Amino acid sequence: MFSIPTPTAPGAGGGANPSYPDLPAELRTPVPSYGSSSAFITPEQQRSAPPAPAPAPATTIVPAKSSGGATDNLGPVQRAAKAIFETLEAEKRYPQLDDIVSQGQSAEYEIAQAYAWEPFVRINNYTIPDAIFEQYNRATSHTMMGLFAEIKQAWITVDNRLYLWDYQTQSNFQGFEGQSNTITCVRLLKPKSGVFNDINYVLVIATTVDVFMMGVNATVNQRGAMDVMLYDTKMSVPTRGLDITIIEGSKKTGRIFFAGKSDNDVYEFSYQAEERWFQGRCSKINHTNSGVSAFAPRLPAWAAGQKDPEYVKQIVIDDTRNLLYTLSSKSTIRVFQIRGTGELPCSLSHMFAQTLSNIRVMVGNTPLLGPETPIISISPVSALQARRTHLIAVTKSGCRLFMSAVSSDYNFGNTDSAPTNMQVIHIRYPPQGQVNNNVRKAKVFTPGYFFCFLEKTPQYDELLLAAPDAAKIQMLADGGSTRLQLVEQGGTIQIDSRVEACELVAGPFAAHRMPQGFGNELATQHDLQSSEIAVLTNSGVHVIRRRRLVEVFDATLRYGSTTSPVGVEGEVRKFFETYGRTEGCASALAVACGASTENGPSLFASNITDVEIHELARKYFIEFGGKPRADNVYDASALPSLDSIKVSGRAEGLALYISRIVRSIWKAWIITDVRTPGGGLEYVSSVPVSKLREIQDKLLRLLTFLHENKSFIVGLSGAESLMVAGSKIEEVANQAEHRMLHALVTLVQGMIEGISFVLFLFDDKLTEIVLSLEGEHKEMIGSMTYGNLFATPQGQNLAKELVTAIVNRNIAAGLSVDTITDTLRRRCGNFCSADDVVVFKALEQVKKAKTETDPDIKNRLLRESLRLFEETASSLTMDNLADMVTQFRSLDYYPGAVQLALVVAREADRGNLALQFLTEPPTVQNETANLYLKRIQCYQLIFRVLEDLDQAYGRAPEMIDGVPTSTTRLRNETWHLIYNSDDELFHYQLYDWLFSRGGAFAERLLEIDSPYVLGYLQYRGAESLDHCELLYQYHARRDNFYQSALVLHELAISEFPLTLEKRLEFFSRARGFCQSSYGTSRKQTNELSQQLQEELDVAVIQDDLLKRLREDVRISQEKKNKLELALGKKILSLSELFNKYASPYGYNDICLCIFQAADWRGQAEIKKCWEQLISAKHTSALESGDVQPFEVVADTVRRLGHRFQLSEYIFPPTDLIPLLEVYAYEHQRDIGPAGWVVDTFREAGVGEETMLRVLEEMFWRDEVPFRGTARRRLLADAVYVVEKWWQKVVKRGGGDGFRAEAVAQTLRSMAASVPRGVESERVDRLLADIRRRGGAGMI
C-alpha cells in the first residue's frame, strides 16, 4: 500500500517543471503533487498589492537663460561700458575709400557760404625773416625754398649755400656754406636703421656735380622749439650732368632715390655704416639702365640734341605696399617694387595716353581731361586707407584721378608681388568755375585733404581746398545707402604770393589701421591733434588747420551770435539737421565742456573760455537733445522693456563724446615690458602719462558739467522727473533714459578714479609692484586693458591685488598703512574703499604678530586682526581669504582661521540661499549656484586648517604633567567652535569630509552632538550603506534602541548589495535592540519585533535553502553560481523560494518550513509533503547503506517535530502517526526496535494521550494495511504508549492527565478485538500494575 510516489510538477501531470525552465538536466525530474492545480501562494501574495508607482518624471537640467543682447541684468558700469564698446565698434564701421569712390565720376561739393562752415582755417602766417631776404638778394644764379615739416624748419638755397630757420619763432637761423657747387635739390629723410648714432634724420643735398648727405640731430628744447645740429657724414656720390631735381626716401627702409632732368632714370643713393670688400660706404645705383651706359658721363639735354626729353618730374613712395611711383614730364606713371634685396624693378609703365583711354571708356570725352591737361602731381594711397585705390593723380585742370594698380596675381595689400596693370577707377572733378586749367601745384593728404594751388598771376597763387565730410558720409552709411558717394566740403584761401612748398606738419592721419574706419575724422577729433598743413610762399609760411566738427559747431555759435542772418538758433538748428541729433549733442557737449580750440593758436595751447559760448552750447545740448522713445509699439496695453527704448540724443551724444575721449586707451594695455640697457626687465606705461592726464582732464570737465546741470537734464534730475510723463510708455522711456545717463555718469567717475589709480601706480615703483604679484595676476596685468580695468570684475579684482601689493611693499618698507591708504582713498576712493583700509590694518596686525615673541601680545594682535577681517568679511575675495587663512595657519592660529572662513561664508550668502543645495549640488549655473560655490570654497579652507591641526596634534603630546598642551587646547577650541556653528551647509560638508577620510575620522560623527548630524546621517543613509551603519550606531550610543532597530530593519530589507549573512546579522541585531528598548511605546516595539521575527524566519529559510543548494551534488557548478547570485543577496518572498527553488529541487523539509512561515494550512499538501519527505529519506538511506532507513526517517521526524511543535498544521500527529506506522509496517517491519515509532513522536514532543487516541482511531478504522492480525501491531504500540505514559506518571507521582479508567477501557476493548497473544498479556500486566499502584483512584 505504501510506496515511493512518483512526483509530478504542481499543476501538471508530469514532465519538466514549467515554472523553472532553466533547471539543469540532472534535476529535470517530476516533483510530488500536493493535489492542487495552482502554484503555491503565500498569504502575503493574497493581500492586494498596491498599485505600481508612476515613474518619476525625468529631471531636465535647464541652463540659465541667456541675456543675449539685453542689459537688464547688467550693473551701471557694465551697461555704460557696453554702450561705449558698441559706439567704438560703430565708428570702426566708417566706409572705406574704395566704397566711397566707386567706378564712375563725381563733382558735387558743398562750398561754405560763411566762415563758420569752412573745412579749413588759417591759424598762423609766419613771415620770412629779414636775414633770409638779405641772403636771397645776394643770389647770382639759382635759389630755392622749401619746408622741413618734420622739424618745423624752413630752408632756402642761395647758389651754393643752404640756410635753415624755425619758421614759427623766426629764430635758430643757421647756414651751411661748406661746398662750392650750386645746390639743385634738398630733402630731409629718415636714415637706415643702424647706420648712424645720435642722428634721427639725414639731409640729402644735390648739387650740379654730386649728391651728398648730412646728418641731422633734431630735439625738442624746453621752449618747445627744435634744436637742430648738422653733421658731415663724408658720404657723397657723383652726379655730374644729371641735373638732380628730385630726391625721395623710404621711411620704412631708409633707402634714398633721386632723379634729374637730364633723363628718365631712377637712381639710388646706397649707403652703409662701414666699407666692405669692393664696396665703399656709399654708391650710386641706376635702377632703370644697367651696363656701361649707367656709368658713362651724361651731357645736358640741350647738348645732347633732344628737343623734348622726358624726365622724372616726381617720385612718391608707398611703404605700406613697398611701391615707388614716378611721374614723368610727359605724364607717364611708372611703378617700381621696393624689394628687400636692394633691387628696384620696374613692373609697370602707364603712359598718359592709356590714362586718357581709360577715362574715355568710363565717361566719354570731357574738356577737363585731354592732352592739354597733363598730370601735375601724384599722391600715393596707403594700403591702410584702401585696398583697391593705389594712387591719386591731379591734372592741370584740377581733376583728381583715383587709380588702381593691380595684376591678375596681385592681391590688394600684398607686398610680395608687383602690379602689372593700372587703370582709372574714379574721376573727381573740381568745383565748377573754380579752375581754368591753371593748376600749378597740388597735393592730397590723408584721409583725402585736397590742396590745389591755382596760378592767378605769375606773382601769386590761390589755394583751392576740399576735404571729405566724414559726418555726412557716416550718415549715408548708417542710413543703409546701397551706393555711397564722396561728400566733400570745398573752399578757397587767398595766398597773395607764389607758393613754393606745401607739407603736412604733423604725422599722417589714420583713425584705424585698416581701410574700414580709416578716414573717420569724427572719431579722432577729441583724441588726435588736428591735421595742420604748412604752405611756404615767397613771403612767408601759412599754417592751415583742418577744422574738427566740434570747432565748426563752436564757430556756428559765434557766427550765429554776430552776423548770421538766421541767428544763433537758426545756425544750430541747421547744424543738427545736417549732422543729426546725436552728433549735434556730442558737439554741443564738447563745446560746453571747453573742448573746442576755435580761437586758440594751437590745439593744446588754450581752450575756449568764452562764458557766453559755453552757455549757448549747454542750452542747445539740453533743449535740442530730444526725448527717449519706444519704437515699434503698436499695443498701448503692452509696456515696452527698458532695452527696447531708444534713448534721447543727449544720452547718445554723451556716450559718443565719452567714447571719443577714451578711444585711444579703451583697448590699450596698461603696461608693457621693455628691456633696460643692462638687459633687465622693466615695466612702463604703454600710454604716455601726458595723454592719460589729458583724458582725465576732459573727463573731469565733463563730470563737472553733468553735476552742475543735472537739475536741467531729464534723466539726471532725480526720481521726481521720471514721474512727469503723459503715459505709461513715456514713464518707461524716462526710466530707460535715467538708467543710461546714470550708468554713463557712474562710468565717467570710475574712469577718472581709474586713471588716478594708474597714475599713482606709475608714480610708485611699478616694476617692483608687478613682480610682487602672483603668476596669474602678473599675466593678467600684462594683458589688462583700460576698458577692462574700468568696467569688468577682473579689472576690479586686479586693482585690489595691485593695491594690496602697494600696501604690502610700503608695510615692508616700514611705512604706516594709514599714510598710503589715505593717499589712495583721496585720489581713487573706488580702488581703495573703507573696507580695503580695514583689511590693510588687519594685515599690519598680522605682520606684527609674525615678529612678536611674547605669546600674549602675539595672540592679542591675531585676535585684533581677526576682528578687523570680520568687519570686512563681505568684501573679502577668495584669494584674500585663502591668503589670510594660510597666514593664520602658519602662525598656529587655527581657531581664527576657522572663524574667519565661517564668517566670510555667512556674509557671502546673507540670505542663506545656498541652503537649497544642502543635499544636492546645483546643476544650473546662476547667481545662487555661485554663492554655493563660494561657500564651499570657504569650507575647503577650513578642512585644510583641520588637516594641519590634526598633524600638529599627532606630533605633540596631549598632556604634560597632567595639564593639556597648547596644541591640545587649540584643537579643543577649534572643534568647539566648529560644533557650535549654526551653518547647516557647513555641517553637511564637514560630515562629508570626515566620512571621506574614513577610520577614526568617520567614527567621530558618532561623537558629535549637533542638531544637524542626525539629519545628515538619515539623508546620506538613504544612499550609502556605511552612513546607514553609522546611523544605527549613532542611535545605539544614545540608548535609542528602537530607532536603531528601525534603521537595522531598513538595512536588512534595503537594496544595498548585502550578503544574505549580513542581512541575517542586521535582523538579529534589530531583534536584540527591540528586546532592549525602553521608553518607547510597547505596542510599537512589539509590532516591530513581530515583523522582524517574521522576516527573520524568511531569511533563515532562504539561508537554509542556499546552503542546501551549495551542497547538492546534483547541481553543476555553473548553475550553483547562478543560484548563488539569485539567493545570496536580496531576500526573496516565500512564494519565490517555494515555487522557484524549494519545491522544484525537492527540498521537502524546507517546503514545510515555508508552510510554517507562511501560515499555510493546506492539510492535503502538507501531508503529501511529509510523504515525499519520508520517501526521499528512505530512498537516500537505502542508497547510502550506512544506516537503517528507519533511523534516518525517525531522526528527520524527531528533528522537524521539535521545529514545528508549535504548529499543529505543519506537524499534525493525526496524519503523521498513521503515516509513520504504515511506513514501519510496510518498509521497516521487524527491522527497528519495537515501539520506535512511538519513541520517535514522544521525542518529537507529541503527548501520550494524543498518540493513544490516534492509534485507537487507526485500530478501529480497520484500514489497509492494518486489518486482521496486523491490528495487533497497533495494539502493541498502544500498550507501549500507555507503558511509557504510566512510567512517567509514576515517576512524577501522578497527574499529567492520565485517566486510568479510560485508558484501561481503551486497552481492554482493543485487546478483546484481536486474538489473544503476547499483546493481550502485556495489557493484563499493565492494568494490574495500574490497579496495584492505585491508578484507579486517579480517575
Side-chain angles (χ1 to χ4, degrees):
M1 174 185 175
F2 194 96
S3 62
I4 302 298
T6 301
T8 56
N17 186 358
S19 64
Y20 204 79
D22 59 342
L23 284 174
E26 63 267 26
L27 292 184
R28 289 178 185 169
T29 56
V31 296
S33 173
Y34 300 112
S36 174
S37 62
S38 60
F40 172 67
I41 301 176
T42 63
E44 66 193 42
Q45 288 179 311
Q46 296 173 355
R47 294 189 289 264
S48 58
T59 302
T60 304
I61 299 176
V62 182
K65 187 177 293 185
S66 175
S67 61
T71 60
D72 280 336
N73 58 341
L74 298 179
V77 173
Q78 288 75 26
R79 182 177 296 109
K82 182 175 182 290
I84 298 302
F85 175 80
E86 291 174 349
T87 302
L88 291 174
E89 290 300 310
E91 298 213 304
K92 282 185 180 179
R93 294 191 291 270
Y94 181 86
Q96 56 181 318
L97 180 62
D98 293 333
D99 295 333
I100 299 173
V101 290
S102 56
Q103 189 87 14
Q105 58 185 339
S106 61
E108 296 81 10
Y109 291 85
E110 295 179 354
I111 304 300
Q113 301 300 318
Y115 167 81
W117 295 88
E118 290 182 357
F120 293 91
V121 58
R122 179 162 44 190
I123 59 172
N124 277 307
N125 186 8
Y126 304 105
T127 59
I128 297 178
D130 294 337
I132 297 299
F133 279 117
E134 292 177 4
Q135 297 296 328
Y136 178 78
N137 293 331
R138 293 169 55 190
T140 59
S141 62
H142 187 73
T143 181
M144 294 185 301
M145 298 179 69
L147 290 170
F148 296 149
E150 298 90 339
I151 58 176
K152 293 182 173 57
Q153 300 276 310
W155 58 269
I156 186 172
T157 62
V158 180
D159 296 333
N160 63 324
R161 301 181 298 279
L162 173 66
Y163 300 101
L164 292 80
W165 76 96
D166 185 331
Y167 63 81
Q168 289 184 335
T169 61
Q170 298 189 352
S171 61
N172 295 339
F173 179 83
Q174 58 181 315
F176 173 72
E177 302 175 350
Q179 59 91 32
S180 57
N181 301 305
T182 301
I183 297 174
T184 60
C185 186
V186 179
R187 195 78 168 92
L188 186 73
L189 302 172
K190 295 292 291 186
K192 290 181 179 179
S193 177
V195 176
F196 304 107
N197 296 324
D198 301 327
I199 288 178
N200 45 16
Y201 295 97
V202 290
L203 184 61
V204 184
I205 303 174
T207 67
T208 54
V209 298
D210 62 359
V211 176
F212 62 93
M213 186 187 301
M214 302 287 292
V216 179
N217 178 268
T219 57
V220 181
N221 57 31
Q222 295 180 350
R223 301 185 306 274
M226 301 289 287
D227 290 335
V228 179
M229 298 291 293
L230 301 180
Y231 301 90
D232 188 1
T233 64
K234 307 295 185 182
M235 291 185 181
S236 65
V237 294
T239 58
R240 184 179 296 274
L242 295 182
D243 193 11
I244 303 302
T245 56
I246 305 296
I247 300 175
E248 191 56 73
S250 168
K251 296 179 181 179
K252 179 179 177 181
T253 63
R255 295 174 67 178
I256 300 172
F257 305 95
F258 58 89
K261 290 185 176 181
S262 62
D263 55 31
N264 201 28
D265 294 340
V266 177
Y267 300 88
E268 180 176 357
F269 191 125
S270 177
Y271 61 100
Q272 57 194 17
E274 298 178 353
E275 293 184 359
R276 299 177 184 175
W277 289 102
F278 308 106
Q279 187 177 4
R281 291 186 64 196
C282 59
S283 62
K284 178 184 68 175
I285 302 174
N286 188 333
H287 286 291
T288 49
N289 284 322
S290 58
V292 177
S293 61
F295 300 95
R298 295 296 180 95
L299 295 175
W302 57 270
Q306 300 181 29
K307 296 182 179 179
D308 187 15
E310 185 177 13
Y311 60 90
V312 177
K313 187 176 179 182
Q314 185 183 5
I315 296 176
V316 294
I317 295 175
D318 181 2
D319 279 326
T320 61
R321 292 188 174 95
N322 296 327
L323 296 178
L324 180 145
Y325 305 93
T326 65
L327 175 66
S328 75
S329 58
K330 295 184 178 181
S331 298
T332 297
I333 299 174
R334 288 183 296 173
V335 183
F336 298 81
Q337 187 182 26
I338 304 175
R339 295 181 179 176
T341 58
E343 299 174 331
L344 188 75
C346 179
S347 62
L348 172 64
S349 180
H350 190 76
M351 301 180 66
F352 188 51
Q354 294 175 280
T355 302
L356 295 177
S357 176
N358 291 155
I359 295 172
R360 283 193 294 271
V361 169
M362 186 166 55
V363 299
N365 293 324
T366 171
L368 294 177
L369 293 169
E372 68 283 358
T373 59
I375 296 175
I376 297 299
S377 70
I378 55 176
S379 298
V381 178
S382 73
L384 300 178
Q385 186 177 2
R387 299 178 68 247
R388 184 184 60 180
T389 307
H390 289 64
L391 197 69
I392 299 177
V394 182
T395 66
K396 191 173 183 180
S397 60
C399 293
R400 279 171 284 166
L401 309 179
F402 293 81
M403 309 184 75
S404 174
V406 296
S407 66
S408 58
D409 61 342
Y410 184 69
N411 187 18
F412 296 119
N414 184 6
T415 59
D416 295 332
S417 57
T420 58
N421 181 38
M422 178 174 282
Q423 62 181 1
V424 178
I425 58 176
H426 187 84
I427 302 171
R428 182 68 173 171
Y429 298 109
Q432 187 174 5
Q434 296 287 338
V435 182
N436 188 21
N437 207 26
N438 57 345
V439 176
R440 194 171 65 83
K441 287 180 179 290
K443 201 165 189 178
V444 180
F445 302 98
T446 56
Y449 306 147
F450 179 41
F451 277 59
C452 184
F453 299 96
L454 309 178
E455 186 177 24
K456 293 298 182 180
T457 68
Q459 287 77 30
Y460 76 92
D461 297 329
E462 183 183 42
L463 174 58
L464 172 65
L465 307 105
D469 192 336
K472 283 195 174 181
I473 294 174
Q474 183 69 64
M475 288 180 65
L476 289 174
D478 293 341
S481 176
T482 57
R483 182 176 178 83
L484 298 175
Q485 60 182 359
L486 181 59
V487 181
E488 285 189 313
Q489 299 168 314
T492 58
I493 295 180
Q494 298 299 325
I495 300 298
D496 296 332
S497 55
R498 188 174 179 84
V499 174
E500 300 293 338
C502 177
E503 298 290 342
L504 184 67
V505 175
F509 175 89
H512 292 284
R513 305 291 294 176
M514 61 179 61
Q516 189 172 34
F518 178 90
N520 192 353
E521 295 181 81
L522 301 175
T524 63
Q525 58 180 323
H526 303 296
D527 178 43
L528 300 179
Q529 179 178 352
S530 295
S531 297
E532 295 181 2
I533 293 91
V535 178
L536 175 66
T537 68
N538 54 12
S539 62
V541 178
H542 304 263
V543 180
I544 300 172
R545 180 196 292 163
R546 168 64 165 150
R547 256 185 176 164
R548 301 175 298 167
L549 193 62
V550 61
E551 291 160 352
V552 173
F553 183 79
D554 183 293
T556 59
L557 294 177
R558 298 178 186 277
Y559 172 64
S561 301
T562 54
T563 60
S564 172
V566 296
V568 62
E569 184 169 335
E571 293 292 337
V572 173
R573 192 174 299 278
K574 176 183 176 183
F575 186 94
F576 272 71
E577 291 173 353
T578 302
Y579 297 114
R581 178 168 287 164
T582 300
E583 201 65 59
C585 286
S587 300
L589 181 61
V591 173
C593 294
S596 173
T597 57
E598 176 63 18
N599 283 350
S602 63
L603 185 62
F604 303 108
S606 65
N607 287 335
I608 188 169
T609 58
D610 190 338
V611 177
E612 183 180 3
I613 296 301
H614 288 183
E615 180 61 26
L616 287 173
R618 182 196 71 85
K619 172 185 176 182
Y620 293 117
F621 170 73
I622 297 173
E623 293 181 359
F624 283 25
K627 295 181 180 181
R629 65 183 186 276
D631 292 335
N632 302 324
V633 176
Y634 306 106
D635 186 1
S637 62
L639 292 179
S641 66
L642 293 178
D643 285 323
S644 65
I645 299 296
K646 181 174 178 58
V647 295
S648 69
R650 282 184 301 275
E652 292 180 340
L654 175 59
L656 188 60
Y657 181 48
I658 295 172
S659 67
R660 289 172 177 173
I661 292 176
V662 301
R663 68 177 298 273
S664 62
I665 66 170
W666 187 260
K667 293 186 177 181
W669 290 342
I670 297 175
I671 64 169
T672 185
D673 57 318
V674 297
R675 291 291 174 181
T676 62
L681 185 66
E682 183 180 8
Y683 292 96
V684 297
S685 172
S686 64
V687 178
V689 172
S690 59
K691 182 67 174 179
L692 292 175
R693 296 188 187 279
E694 173 196 332
I695 293 173
Q696 187 184 42
D697 179 66
K698 292 179 179 179
L699 292 174
L700 278 170
R701 292 184 180 217
L702 173 61
L703 185 63
T704 302
F705 172 84
L706 294 174
H707 282 166
E708 291 177 350
N709 295 277
K710 65 180 181 179
S711 59
F712 306 105
I713 300 174
V714 176
L716 284 181
S717 55
E720 61 277 2
S721 66
L722 302 179
M723 301 297 106
V724 183
S727 65
K728 285 289 185 181
I729 294 178
E730 290 185 15
E731 185 176 333
V732 173
N734 288 340
Q735 292 174 2
E737 178 86 356
H738 169 74
R739 187 180 68 162
M740 177 55 70
L741 290 176
H742 171 69
L744 291 172
V745 171
T746 304
L747 178 62
V748 170
Q749 291 172 331
M751 289 191 293
I752 292 171
E753 292 196 4
I755 295 175
S756 293
F757 173 72
V758 171
L759 293 175
F760 180 87
L761 193 65
F762 295 156
D763 291 340
D764 208 331
K765 296 183 178 180
L766 175 62
T767 302
E768 293 182 12
I769 294 172
V770 174
L771 294 177
S772 68
L773 297 175
E774 296 181 358
E776 177 185 356
H777 296 112
K778 190 184 299 182
E779 293 179 4
M780 187 182 297
I781 191 174
S783 59
M784 179 63 65
T785 63
Y786 280 92
N788 289 336
L789 176 68
F790 296 149
T792 64
Q794 294 83 1
Q796 296 172 4
N797 294 335
L798 178 61
K800 287 185 177 295
E801 292 296 330
L802 289 170
V803 170
T804 302
I806 293 171
V807 173
N808 288 339
R809 196 183 68 81
N810 284 273
I811 292 176
L815 300 177
S816 171
V817 171
D818 291 335
T819 302
I820 188 68
T821 55
D822 287 346
T823 304
L824 283 169
R825 292 197 65 188
R826 186 174 60 254
R827 295 180 61 175
C828 44
N830 287 339
F831 291 82
C832 184
S833 63
D835 285 347
D836 294 333
V837 174
V838 175
V839 169
F840 296 141
K841 290 182 178 179
L843 289 171
E844 188 176 28
Q845 300 297 315
V846 174
K847 184 173 181 61
K848 291 178 180 178
K850 288 181 178 180
T851 58
E852 184 56 55
T853 57
D854 189 323
D856 293 335
I857 298 177
K858 178 179 178 181
N859 289 333
R860 179 173 57 79
L861 291 171
L862 290 174
R863 287 194 298 271
E864 176 63 16
S865 67
L866 175 61
R867 184 189 67 80
L868 293 172
F869 279 126
E870 288 180 347
E871 288 183 8
T872 61
S874 60
S875 63
L876 286 179
T877 65
M878 285 309 304
D879 290 338
N880 297 145
L881 176 61
D883 181 61
M884 290 319 307
V885 168
T886 301
Q887 294 197 47
F888 280 161
R889 285 163 56 191
S890 66
L891 294 170
D892 296 336
Y893 190 37
Y894 302 110
V898 171
Q899 176 68 17
L900 179 58
L902 286 174
V903 172
V904 171
R906 181 191 66 205
E907 293 298 320
D909 185 15
R910 297 293 297 273
N912 206 17
L913 299 177
L915 192 61
Q916 62 183 287
F917 305 119
L918 180 66
T919 55
E920 293 293 338
T923 56
V924 177
Q925 187 69 25
N926 53 31
E927 185 175 351
T928 307
N930 293 335
L931 294 177
Y932 170 82
L933 294 177
K934 183 172 183 180
R935 289 177 65 173
I936 295 301
Q937 290 175 335
C938 295
Y939 303 150
Q940 293 297 328
L941 294 175
I942 295 176
F943 300 152
R944 286 200 284 270
V945 173
L946 296 179
E947 289 174 358
D948 284 357
L949 182 58
D950 285 336
Q951 292 176 4
Y953 181 73
R955 294 190 298 265
E958 184 176 358
M959 307 281 283
I960 297 179
D961 297 333
V963 179
T965 62
S966 60
T967 304
T968 302
R969 291 195 299 271
L970 280 175
R971 182 176 182 271
N972 294 339
E973 182 182 352
T974 303
W975 279 104
H976 178 75
L977 177 66
I978 288 173
Y979 291 155
N980 290 333
S981 171
D982 59 355
D983 188 341
E984 186 174 0
L985 181 60
F986 165 67
H987 278 275
Y988 270 58
Q989 296 297 320
L990 171 67
Y991 303 152
D992 278 339
W993 176 75
L994 289 173
F995 179 81
S996 67
R997 302 192 70 186
F1001 292 95
E1003 292 181 0
R1004 192 177 293 177
L1005 291 172
L1006 305 177
E1007 304 171 359
I1008 297 176
D1009 288 324
S1010 164
Y1012 309 113
V1013 67
L1014 179 58
Y1016 166 80
L1017 290 174
Q1018 288 174 340
Y1019 176 77
R1020 291 286 186 247
E1023 301 175 351
S1024 167
L1025 173 62
D1026 295 331
H1027 283 91
C1028 207
E1029 292 192 54
L1030 286 174
L1031 178 58
Y1032 93 77
Q1033 295 176 40
Y1034 176 86
H1035 286 305
R1037 289 202 180 189
R1038 288 155 180 78
D1039 295 338
N1040 193 355
F1041 300 125
Y1042 177 74
Q1043 293 295 332
S1044 294
L1046 284 176
V1047 174
L1048 285 167
H1049 176 238
E1050 293 295 332
L1051 262 178
I1053 63 175
S1054 68
E1055 297 292 332
F1056 291 126
L1058 296 171
T1059 62
L1060 187 58
E1061 291 79 5
K1062 196 68 175 176
R1063 295 183 189 274
L1064 285 169
E1065 176 188 342
F1066 289 150
F1067 276 127
S1068 300
R1069 288 191 177 186
R1071 286 195 71 242
F1073 282 130
C1074 276
Q1075 294 171 0
S1076 304
S1077 177
Y1078 61 89
T1080 309
S1081 169
R1082 176 52 55 185
K1083 179 181 178 182
Q1084 289 181 337
T1085 304
N1086 291 339
E1087 290 176 353
L1088 177 60
S1089 181
Q1090 182 179 354
Q1091 184 179 359
L1092 287 169
Q1093 184 61 55
E1094 293 174 355
E1095 294 173 347
L1096 177 60
D1097 291 342
V1098 177
V1100 170
I1101 292 171
Q1102 183 170 330
D1103 186 54
D1104 292 342
L1105 181 59
L1106 182 59
K1107 291 177 181 177
R1108 187 74 62 84
L1109 289 168
R1110 290 170 181 164
E1111 298 169 358
D1112 199 330
V1113 296
R1114 301 172 298 169
I1115 307 175
S1116 65
Q1117 187 59 45
E1118 181 181 359
K1119 186 62 182 179
K1120 284 182 179 180
N1121 293 337
K1122 291 182 179 181
L1123 295 172
E1124 184 78 34
L1125 291 175
L1127 294 169
K1129 301 293 183 183
K1130 185 179 178 182
I1131 294 179
L1132 305 180
S1133 66
L1134 290 173
S1135 299
E1136 292 179 288
L1137 294 176
F1138 181 85
N1139 291 321
K1140 291 185 177 181
Y1141 306 103
S1143 178
Y1145 284 92
Y1147 302 142
N1148 296 287
D1149 52 344
I1150 295 178
C1151 289
L1152 292 172
C1153 294
I1154 293 174
F1155 290 154
Q1156 182 191 33
D1159 195 22
W1160 179 260
R1161 300 187 182 188
Q1163 184 177 1
E1165 287 81 359
I1166 294 173
K1167 183 177 180 181
K1168 286 291 185 181
C1169 189
W1170 277 107
E1171 290 175 357
Q1172 179 62 28
L1173 176 62
I1174 293 172
S1175 177
K1177 293 296 181 183
H1178 175 81
T1179 303
S1180 63
L1182 286 176
E1183 291 175 353
S1184 66
D1186 296 333
V1187 66
Q1188 292 294 336
F1190 82 90
E1191 293 178 342
V1192 176
V1193 171
D1195 182 67
T1196 300
V1197 174
R1198 187 185 305 113
R1199 176 173 52 82
L1200 294 178
H1202 285 298
R1203 184 167 185 175
F1204 304 135
Q1205 62 181 346
L1206 298 179
S1207 178
E1208 59 181 2
Y1209 300 102
I1210 305 303
F1211 192 80
T1214 56
D1215 291 336
L1216 295 183
I1217 292 174
L1219 187 63
L1220 207 57
E1221 287 287 355
V1222 172
Y1223 168 75
Y1225 179 78
E1226 292 184 347
H1227 296 284
Q1228 297 291 296
R1229 187 185 307 171
D1230 300 330
I1231 294 177
W1236 69 268
V1237 174
V1238 174
D1239 287 337
T1240 297
F1241 283 103
R1242 285 180 69 248
E1243 292 172 3
V1246 180
E1248 289 83 356
E1249 184 179 5
T1250 302
M1251 286 189 287
L1252 181 60
R1253 176 174 52 78
V1254 174
L1255 289 171
E1256 181 185 9
E1257 292 175 354
M1258 290 178 64
F1259 184 85
W1260 296 114
R1261 280 199 299 267
D1262 194 23
E1263 294 179 347
V1264 178
F1266 298 107
R1267 287 183 174 179
T1269 58
R1271 296 169 71 190
R1272 296 172 64 180
R1273 297 186 66 87
L1274 296 177
L1275 176 59
D1277 280 350
V1279 174
Y1280 187 75
V1281 169
V1282 176
E1283 287 175 347
K1284 294 296 183 180
W1285 190 5
W1286 175 245
Q1287 290 174 6
K1288 186 170 60 174
V1289 170
V1290 172
K1291 186 177 180 180
R1292 291 182 178 180
D1296 202 31
F1298 188 81
R1299 295 176 294 175
E1301 183 178 352
V1303 171
Q1305 181 63 33
T1306 299
L1307 291 179
R1308 289 192 191 104
S1309 61
M1310 292 176 66
S1313 300
V1314 296
R1316 190 165 181 83
V1318 178
E1319 293 81 5
S1320 301
E1321 294 176 358
R1322 288 175 62 190
V1323 171
D1324 294 339
R1325 287 195 299 270
L1326 177 58
L1327 294 178
D1329 186 61
I1330 293 173
R1331 286 193 300 270
R1332 183 176 58 82
R1333 293 176 182 270
M1338 296 179 186
I1339 302 174

